[in-house]
Amino acid sequence: MDPKVWIGCLACYNDGALVGEWFDALGAGEIDLAQVHAGSPRRLHTSCEELWVMDHEGFGGALKGECAPGDADRLAEVLADVEDFECDPFAAYLSYQGSAEVDESTVSDFRECYEGVFDSPADWAGEYVESTGMLHGLPDEVTSYFDMEAFGRDAFIGGDLYSVDAPGLSIYVFRSL
Ligand SMILES: [Zn+2]
């Protein structure tokens, strides 16, 4: 991902003039008024003060809507640590957690609580039961009574886990920290 932001001048915008430029999101917090007005026939005005990210691309769904350039900068810095294969679940994680509070621990928190992508809570339960070996050694007459769906459902109802919709009716499953 190579996130970019379109930073515009709010005062000019409110005055009916779209003044802004595309910049790399990394470093967006350092962009100043002069840089934003440089390519515009409209001169930097004394009322020009606040810069705002009005459009963006390459955030892989991790950024929704508009924000301050500094927030986009911080998010881009965090995204630089996210591997390509993690982008979608990470964006889902942020959509649940909110992307306003991202910092250097956000990616490690995500990796700690991301369980994977599953078809359903029962699908998650099947893999969990298998990986923990909690039914190993028990006779089939016992394990056949184990209710995978109820076990999965309870884990979500109890608040240990939560899910965010994934493509194709799947769910990203996260463990509550
Ligand atoms: Zn302006």
Side-chain angles (χ1 to χ4, degrees), residues 9-13 19 33 37 42-45 47-49:
C9 170
L10 266 189
C12 288
Y13 177 78
V19 175
L33 284 165
H37 292 74
R42 188 183 159 98
R43 294 271 156 217
L44 183 55
H45 199 263
S47 63
C48 297
E49 192 184 351

Side-chain angles (χ1 to χ4, degrees), residues 15-75:
D15 217 17
L18 210 50
V19 175
E21 294 276 355
W22 282 100
F23 297 93
D24 283 330
L26 273 175
E30 309 299 319
I31 300 297
D32 61 26
L33 284 165
Q35 288 169 280
V36 168
H37 292 74
S40 169
R42 188 183 159 98
R43 294 271 156 217
L44 183 55
H45 199 263
T46 48
S47 63
C48 297
E49 192 184 351
E50 198 175 353
L51 297 174
W52 199 243
V53 171
M54 300 182 184
D55 197 5
H56 55 79
E57 61 178 35
F59 282 86
L63 180 61
K64 302 253 191 310
E66 306 183 347
C67 67
D71 291 342
D73 192 349
R74 217 169 50 234
L75 182 57

